[in-house]
Amino acid sequence: MNTPSPRRIVVLGAGIGGLAAAALLAQAGHDVTVLEGNDWVGGKSRRIELGGQRIDTGPSLVTFPAVWDELIRRYNALGSRGALGSRGTRGTRGGICDTGDTGDSADDLSASGLQLRRLPEVGRYFYGGQAVTLPVEEGHPWRAAWDRFDREHGGLGPQITALLTTDPLDPKTLPAVGALTRLYGTRLTTKRFLDSLTWMPEGLREVIAIHTLNAGVPPTRSLSLYASMPAVMARDGVWVPEGGINELPLALHRLALHAGATVHTGESVVSVNRSRVRTIAAEYRADLVVSSLDPGVLTRLLGDRPSRVRGLTCSGVAIYGVLDTPLPDTTATHSVVMPDDPAALHRSLAAGLAPEQTMAFVNYYRAGEIYPNEKATVAVLLTAPANGQRYDLDDPFVQREVGRISEVMGLDQPITRLLSDYTVLDPEYFAGWGATGGALYGATRPLWQSGPFHAPAYRDPRRRWLWRVGASVHPGGGIPAVLGGAMISSAMLLRSLRG
Ligand SMILES: Cc1cc2nc3c(=O)[nH]c(=O)nc-3n(C[C@H](O)[C@H](O)[C@H](O)COP(=O)(O)OP(=O)(O)OC[C@H]3O[C@@H](n4cnc5c(N)ncnc54)[C@H](O)[C@@H]3O)c2cc1C
């Protein structure tokens, strides 16, 4: 095998995908420049301050923490500029407890410094007048069904992690593919698979199915694999970095810089071709380009004719605020308020219309919990169609849903009335620097393209110098998929250079 000479690699976008790729490629010894249009790193994960309190907008939970461990392992293994990086320690809410890490050095911790804290539950779910915590609590009528579901699916974390982080054509994926194929058989979609579990109460089935919206699509359009996710999340935990979720892109940024990458913010890319990437201010020469941008945005920058978009994944209306009075003591860190009729929600999203009722996340952080804040903060995230529109608290959809959610959660007034400071991020905001209509995971794709044969591919078939990472490339969309996609794409790129 050849030892490749260092190449000039320009990475487009400094979200989680772009930063992860930049860290790995720079660590492999290449000359990496990251160009980010906004004036912050982290993309959808953006830290703001409201009323003197730290609030992280965008993602809130880290699932499949072994994916992060794997990223750090690969970063260390590449280590041409010195082995660095670590996940830090993981702990429970009651106090940081080391889970048996493999001997990190002081250098490692200073390079990444990410400490993941496990939440006591996946979340508290409200559906059809029922409230349930995942994992389902002792004594709940759904407990026996949950135990069975957990027995059959809860142990799939290692297999799913392998699929998230390994090139689908690598024979190493075969054991995981085999295990999953045996489990799902010909029941290819989440809906078909869950419908076949006739022993499961209908309500629990809906609670499990709603998770596919985390990838922006209904259970009729997601692979059956998604059905297993809540069980794995309950077994392996959902996590938040100590200090807030934005610590994750900040850690990636540190790893990229430590490996020698240069990161420019406020440099919006205006055109991309074989050897040159142009921003308004400058021109960068490139041997290779790695794009973490939405495919629609990249198409424009390449000067290609836009391809027809059949459908879009969902967007969101996110209200972030500071609470002068804390919520009731029983409020979970992460609550999910479901619509009475999930199928109607999926129909509205597909039609680009504001739904009558939506799925909402309510993330609640008490003063001093996870964030170094003096006051409690809350995020209310309303799933919304990717219609590029602006929303405020007076919008009828927002008012209606905030009222319903507050009532369901047992509050005696709309939660927004408890906020001393707030901001609203909406599909217009997400569309401003990202995808069409503010679609969080880009365009929808046919089922057969939501697995290993996804499109667009990691490597552009027509332009062999162009590689892709990010939420719209790796099926699944969330942080583990984005980190995994960056690992797979970067490994393929490095292999191609070795010849
Ligand atoms: C409200 C919300 C809640 C979420 N919750 C979760 C969660 O709890 N858990 C989870 O795992 N995932 C969650 N996600 C998904 C997760 O945030 C994303 O999958 C991930 O952040 C995407 O990273 P990315 O790098 O692919 O894209 P992005 O973060 O969109 O990064 C792309 C970057 O490219 C830049 N860019 C665009 N155009 C240009 C240009 N012309 N020139 C230069 N730069 C450009 C953008 O500014 C941006 O920084 C959530 C997302 C949202 C919005």
Side-chain angles (χ1 to χ4, degrees), residues 11-250:
V11 176
L12 313 181
I16 291 170
L19 289 171
L24 293 169
L25 296 171
Q27 182 77 336
H30 296 286
D31 176 3
V32 176
T33 304
V34 184
L35 300 174
E36 166 56 50
N38 282 314
D39 58 7
W40 69 88
V41 296
K44 292 194 181 75
S45 176
R46 178 187 187 183
R47 179 161 287 173
I48 59 171
E49 200 179 287
L50 276 178
Q53 310 303 302
R54 177 192 290 183
I55 292 185
D56 287 342
T57 69
S60 43
L61 302 174
V62 177
T63 53
F64 295 89
V67 172
W68 175 260
D69 295 348
E70 177 62 12
L71 180 100
I72 296 306
R73 193 193 66 72
R74 292 193 194 186
Y75 180 88
N76 279 331
L78 284 167
S80 64
R81 292 171 199 247
L84 291 162
S86 160
R87 68 180 173 186
T89 54
R90 295 209 224 116
T92 56
R93 181 191 274 257
I96 298 284
C97 73
D98 200 306
T99 55
D101 210 344
T102 48
D104 304 314
S105 71
D107 260 1
D108 293 341
L109 288 168
S110 64
S112 120
L114 195 70
Q115 299 206 331
L116 296 178
R117 180 172 280 246
R118 185 174 181 159
L119 298 185
E121 68 270 304
V122 175
R124 188 143 185 77
Y125 293 72
F126 298 87
Y127 174 61
Q130 289 254 27
V132 66
T133 300
L134 291 191
V136 175
E137 60 266 43
E138 196 74 61
H140 193 283
W142 297 349
R143 175 60 186 241
W146 175 264
D147 282 345
R148 177 168 174 186
F149 186 63
D150 168 62
R151 271 196 308 278
E152 292 171 11
H153 297 259
L156 290 174
Q159 283 91 337
I160 298 177
T161 300
L163 293 180
L164 284 167
T165 55
T166 317
D167 178 349
L169 299 179
D170 188 325
K172 281 194 210 126
T173 61
L174 288 178
V177 171
L180 297 173
T181 310
R182 279 191 297 281
L183 191 59
Y184 308 122
T186 54
R187 298 164 292 182
L188 289 184
T189 66
T190 304
K191 169 125 180 66
R192 277 202 65 190
F193 180 70
L194 287 173
D195 282 351
S196 74
L197 308 182
T198 45
W199 47 268
M200 186 179 271
E202 185 265 336
L204 181 56
R205 238 182 280 165
E206 291 291 1
V207 165
I208 291 169
I210 205 80
H211 284 83
T212 68
L213 274 181
N214 291 343
V217 292
T220 48
R221 300 198 64 148
S222 58
L223 290 172
S224 33
L225 180 68
Y226 285 92
S228 304
M229 301 288 187
V232 177
M233 282 154 61
R235 183 90 70 93
D236 296 352
V238 297
W239 306 76
V240 184
E242 204 56 60
I245 192 94
N246 192 248
E247 295 299 319
L248 189 141
L250 292 179

